[in-house]
Amino acid sequence: MTGMDNNNVLASTQIVIEEALRKLGYGDDMIELLKEPMRVLTVRIPVRMDDGKTRVFIGYRAQHNDAVGPTKGGVRFHPDVNELEVKALSIWMSLKCGIADLPYGGGKGGIICDPRKMSFRELERLSRGYVRAISQIVGPNKDIPAPDVMTNAQIMAWMMDEYSRIREFDSPGFITGKPLVLGGSLGRESATAKGVAIMIHEAMAKQGISVAGARIVVQGFGNAGSYLAKFMHDAGAKVVGISDVHGALYNEQGLDIEHLMDRRDSFGMVTNLFQNTISNDELLTLDCDVLVPAAIENQITASNADRIRAKIIVEAANGPTTLEATRIVTDRGILLIPDVLASAGGVIVSYFEWVQNNQGYYWSEAEVDAKLREMMVRGFNNVYELHTLKKVDMRLAAYMVGVRKMAEAVRLRGWV
Ligand code: GLU
């Protein structure tokens, strides 16, 4: 990319998808098909609020491509959800599934809402309303939702119940990230973070940095960020900085992660309880070994990439680094582990959950963890190998590995 930094997540993704497909030897027709989702449904969901009035929420479900198998990906509840973002997120899910070699294409959903300002019952009605609105295009063998930003196991439970009522039989395989008693998998809740931790270990080994005493900065203290901080702390690293939407905390001796986890609310808010916070910009540019953006898109951009002092960036969030920033940090010798590889742990264990639901046979946490590790390390090695062999940056290498199987499936089915 030249000139200005582009923080339009869909446009940036399309640039890399095109580059990846060209490098793999595919032409314009394949690019034309895979640069957009094959299906995007927009729905208006009427919800009776606690005050008796009806509010209409807008929701989306995007399905990138189902040549490999059913589509798969989370549903986010956030005020900034929009169609372009959901489309880009569905393409990223395809790439994650491709890198992990799962039998899925990518999907993604979202509802424009602020769950922090809604009651429990309003959230239940919204979740059920969303499933009614999208029920025709989803299902255990069509498109399988899961949690994402500000959605959780309880929301998955309501959605699964609603879908089962519509179909008139119990359908645990319709959605993943469910509570354990409803067919959830052991290890699913912390899976994204566990996968990110595995990636940090692999990346540090490549850079010759030891985990013991390493300084880690984590931006975001939601599901991925908070578990990750705990895993790295338990592994002997020093988590020197964390943040949420209110601000960031820094302690060069290492923060007390257990205390912070105890105090965080269900949306990952904790810094509001402290004074002496630092800004988001200060957090991102702290001197550290590993920086983990685990919040939202477009955090590392052309305006701060040259000031990042980490040796390794591991993207636990989806889309935290723009393309221009990717180029800047790569040129500066920082090893970047891109989102579609680093955060694949969630969908990997979602796949295990779906397999267990289909079989009606449930695995131990040790089994889940061992299989997760194996898949993450294989994905890392494939991407890293291509990165060194073809001399392409880590993001392009990840896209090439991620889109390869899908393009081949499209070709074999005779679509292109
Ligand atoms: N929302 C998660 C992601 O972005 C998980 C998706 C899933 O488990 O299907 O990868």
Side-chain angles (χ1 to χ4, degrees):
M1 238 184 98
T2 52
M4 253 177 49
D5 203 3
N6 191 341
N7 59 10
N8 173 335
V9 285
L10 181 62
S12 320
T13 301
Q14 289 172 331
I15 290 170
V16 192
I17 285 279
E18 170 162 0
E19 227 179 318
L21 286 169
R22 288 219 192 281
K23 281 223 180 293
L24 292 169
Y26 289 101
D28 292 345
D29 42 4
M30 186 67 81
I31 293 162
E32 187 57 27
L33 179 67
L34 294 184
K35 74 176 195 197
E36 287 273 340
M38 60 179 189
R39 186 178 296 116
V40 185
L41 181 65
T42 305
V43 293
R44 292 172 68 79
I45 312 155
V47 176
R48 185 62 52 91
M49 304 304 276
D50 291 345
D51 64 6
K53 294 199 182 98
T54 295
R55 242 184 89 185
V56 180
F57 292 87
I58 295 171
Y60 303 97
R61 186 73 194 170
Q63 299 171 343
H64 177 226
N65 187 284
D66 59 4
V68 172
T71 47
K72 177 94 193 78
V75 183
R76 62 171 57 181
F77 284 8
H78 196 280
D80 298 336
V81 162
N82 61 75
E83 191 176 327
L84 284 186
E85 182 197 56
V86 175
K87 281 179 164 187
L89 285 160
S90 75
I91 299 177
W92 295 340
M93 285 312 304
S94 283
L95 297 168
K96 289 187 202 191
C97 295
I99 290 170
D101 199 11
L102 307 180
Y104 297 135
K108 198 72 165 206
I111 302 178
I112 307 172
C113 67
D114 192 345
R116 291 163 297 200
K117 298 196 178 118
M118 294 172 71
S119 75
F120 203 62
R121 288 300 152 220
E122 288 170 345
L123 280 174
E124 175 176 356
R125 292 192 283 266
L126 177 62
S127 304
R128 291 183 185 279
Y130 178 68
V131 170
R132 286 194 298 276
I134 64 165
S135 67
Q136 305 234 332
I137 64 158
V138 289
N141 293 308
K142 267 191 192 171
D143 181 17
I144 305 126
D148 197 76
V149 174
M150 285 203 277
T151 52
N152 56 24
Q154 174 61 77
I155 291 173
M156 299 306 109
W158 290 323
M159 290 187 174
M160 188 277 275
D161 184 64
E162 192 65 26
Y163 186 81
S164 297
R165 287 183 192 201
I166 294 169
R167 293 284 174 258
E168 296 184 330
F169 51 81
D170 195 36
S171 311
F174 156 63
I175 202 162
T176 58
K178 300 178 293 293
L180 282 181
V181 293
L182 293 178
S185 175
L186 288 166
R188 173 63 186 89
E189 197 178 66
S190 59
T192 307
K194 222 168 248 174
V196 175
I198 294 166
M199 293 300 91
I200 294 178
H201 282 85
E202 295 299 310
M204 289 177 98
K206 291 281 183 230
Q207 299 295 79
I209 307 168
S210 84
V211 175
R215 292 156 307 154
I216 317 278
V217 171
V218 184
Q219 183 206 31
F221 213 58
N223 175 282
S226 61
Y227 275 115
L228 176 70
K230 183 176 161 17
F231 292 149
M232 295 317 296
H233 174 77
D234 293 349
K238 270 194 301 191
V239 181
V240 295
I242 65 114
S243 75
D244 59 25
V245 288
H246 297 296
L249 302 174
Y250 171 65
N251 184 338
E252 63 173 306
Q253 304 307 321
L255 294 158
D256 184 347
I257 297 301
E258 246 142 67
H259 177 64
L260 294 174
M261 290 211 43
D262 268 1
R263 305 290 306 273
R264 77 189 266 279
D265 73 10
S266 61
F267 297 110
M269 300 306 144
V270 68
T271 66
N272 49 325
L273 306 174
F274 296 82
Q275 279 149 1
N276 300 333
T277 56
I278 60 170
S279 72
N280 190 44
D281 187 66
E282 285 169 311
L283 178 93
L284 292 174
T285 53
L286 282 173
D287 190 7
C288 63
D289 295 296
V290 185
L291 172 63
V292 185
I296 50 169
E297 293 102 35
N298 298 326
Q299 297 303 299
I300 303 175
T301 67
S303 67
N304 60 11
D306 54 349
R307 291 182 290 122
I308 302 282
R309 285 188 282 168
K311 299 187 182 85
I312 299 169
I313 298 172
V314 182
E315 298 182 330
N318 290 307
T321 313
T322 63
L323 284 192
E324 183 71 1
T326 299
R327 192 187 56 71
I328 297 170
V329 298
T330 304
D331 287 352
R332 292 183 55 219
I334 298 172
L335 177 60
L336 179 114
I337 312 300
D339 49 4
V340 290
L341 166 62
S343 72
V347 70
I348 290 175
V349 179
S350 274
Y351 165 61
F352 299 158
E353 180 173 333
W354 181 78
V355 168
Q356 292 171 79
N357 294 150
N358 291 344
Q359 294 183 330
Y361 175 74
Y362 289 84
W363 311 347
S364 70
E365 188 156 0
E367 201 171 344
V368 169
D369 284 355
K371 289 190 161 83
L372 169 65
R373 167 173 300 279
E374 190 190 315
M375 283 187 168
M376 290 296 305
V377 171
R378 196 192 312 133
F380 179 89
N381 288 337
N382 288 341
V383 172
Y384 194 84
E385 211 172 273
L386 203 67
H387 153 71
T388 38
L389 205 75
K390 300 270 176 203
K391 297 190 174 39
V392 294
D393 70 48
M394 285 289 282
R395 191 177 311 283
L396 181 54
Y399 272 57
M400 288 170 71
V401 174
V403 80
R404 191 155 67 181
K405 177 171 156 190
M406 180 170 280
E408 199 180 335
V410 163
R411 196 177 51 77
L412 286 169
R413 280 180 188 263
W415 293 353
V416 162

